[in-house]
Amino acid sequence: MPEMILQVNHLSKSFGSHEVLKDIDFTVAPGDVTSIIGASGSGKSTLLRCINLLETPTSGEILYHGTDITGPKVNAASYRSHVGMVFQSFNLFNNMTVLENCMVGQIKVLKKSKEAARAHAMEYLEKVGMAPYINARPRQISGGQKQRVAIARALAMDPEVLLFDEPTSALDPEMVGEVLNVMQALAQEGMTMLVVTHEMAFARDVSNHVVYMNQGVICEEGTPEEVFGNPQKQETKDFLSRFRRN
Ligand SMILES: Nc1ncnc2c1ncn2[C@@H]1O[C@H](COP(=O)(O)OP(=O)(O)OP(=O)(O)O)[C@@H](O)[C@H]1O
Ligand SMILES: [Mg+2]
């Protein structure tokens, strides 16, 4: 078995008396492309936000190469340069250009020179097809373009894992494909990815591991063939059949 990048052990998270994550265990190995699917409110975003240190777990541990990152001594900015995140609502810096968005983390967190940061940012902006827009501000580009910039910004930090929280859910339908294509290319290049998604075709065709969450627990997980082709739990069958009807 390869060394795990991330290992989530007995993770629980409550907001007040509401237990949103209940004793979650799961692992991310190098090269895994894991899709997390499940109904609204099942805890998918909370799980990703815990892994990105945007929420503090109530109990349990999250090991990154064996070190628990939920402790007080962890430098969140430095950790996030290894485990980056792409959000549904892009979260670009609106007062910066496309290029500056992709440089600032490299300069502030990775302490790179402006020149090195610019060159590296350009590599990834070219990769996502956004090099012609480097001087634009986020408000001047479309949602699909913003999300491609957000992906380039995350990649420019040379992360080991990228987390995506419904990266196409805020997009007009005609822009979903351009973002999924970028993500599919990354997956094919071996990028380790953890993707919360309602795009069942992506989960089935691009990921190698599917996690179905229901009411704060991992109800079922396996290969796409297992989860989509031969689901074992009644909850999984019901969820998938609701999707197929839509
Ligand atoms: N900061 C918070 N304070 C209180 N409750 C919260 C908070 N964040 C999330 N919750 C609750 O936790 C539960 C799980 O939310 P979460 O956002 O993780 O679900 P999700 O699976 O991502 O849903 P969706 O598909 O709608 O994005 C929901 O009931 C939500 O209302
Ligand atoms: Mg969510």
Side-chain angles (χ1 to χ4, degrees):
M1 206 159 73
E3 194 205 345
M4 293 300 166
I5 301 176
L6 285 166
Q7 208 163 343
V8 173
N9 293 328
H10 300 299
L11 183 72
S12 296
K13 172 69 182 176
S14 298
F15 293 106
S17 59
H18 184 188
E19 198 177 20
V20 170
L21 296 178
K22 303 167 189 164
D23 200 24
I24 300 270
D25 286 324
F26 92 104
T27 54
V28 176
D32 272 355
V33 178
T34 300
S35 290
I36 303 178
I37 60 174
S40 182
S42 57
K44 307 179 300 293
S45 293
T46 304
L47 174 59
L48 233 56
R49 290 172 59 80
C50 285
I51 295 173
N52 201 233
L53 297 182
L54 293 168
E55 300 286 356
T56 309
T58 307
S59 60
E61 55 181 18
I62 301 171
L63 305 180
Y64 174 67
H65 290 292
T67 301
D68 189 1
I69 51 102
T70 62
K73 291 203 191 99
V74 170
N75 178 332
S78 159
Y79 168 71
R80 289 188 192 120
S81 72
H82 303 297
V83 180
M85 181 134 160
V86 173
F87 299 87
Q88 180 176 344
S89 49
F90 326 120
N91 294 17
L92 295 176
F93 304 115
N94 289 319
N95 57 338
M96 294 183 194
T97 65
V98 161
L99 180 59
E100 287 163 350
N101 262 281
C102 298
M103 291 171 60
V104 61
Q106 298 185 68
I107 294 167
K108 291 220 163 125
V109 179
L110 304 181
K111 311 291 179 204
K112 286 201 197 169
S113 70
K114 261 188 159 177
E115 295 66 36
R118 181 180 292 113
H120 204 53
M122 284 306 301
E123 254 179 66
Y124 289 106
L125 285 165
E126 271 160 28
K127 187 182 174 89
V128 302
M130 286 301 292
Y133 299 88
I134 52 172
N135 295 317
R137 306 260 163 188
R139 68 182 145 73
Q140 298 169 309
I141 58 179
S142 73
Q145 291 174 328
K146 279 189 239 198
Q147 197 58 297
R148 286 187 281 140
V149 172
I151 294 171
R153 176 178 65 174
L155 289 171
M157 301 298 280
D158 295 321
E160 193 176 5
V161 186
L162 269 190
L163 313 176
F164 295 81
D165 191 0
E166 295 198 38
T168 60
S169 294
L171 301 178
D172 291 335
E174 68 269 22
M175 293 169 189
V176 168
E178 66 193 64
V179 172
L180 290 179
N181 287 344
V182 166
M183 292 172 64
Q184 181 161 16
L186 287 177
Q188 279 163 356
E189 287 165 23
M191 183 79 209
T192 306
M193 298 161 61
L194 191 51
V195 185
V196 172
T197 188
H198 290 293
E199 296 288 338
M200 292 301 139
F202 179 91
R204 194 187 53 226
D205 301 336
V206 180
S207 45
N208 64 356
H209 187 202
V210 177
V211 171
Y212 168 60
M213 282 185 72
N214 185 33
Q215 298 186 354
V217 300
I218 293 181
C219 179
E220 182 159 353
E221 65 181 311
T223 64
E225 293 74 22
E226 287 165 346
V227 174
F228 290 104
N230 187 20
Q232 300 297 305
K233 296 268 182 72
Q234 191 58 41
E235 292 91 332
T236 318
K237 292 177 193 172
D238 292 344
F239 174 77
L240 293 174
S241 72
R242 277 202 301 281
F243 254 92
R244 288 193 185 108
R245 273 205 304 276
N246 288 339

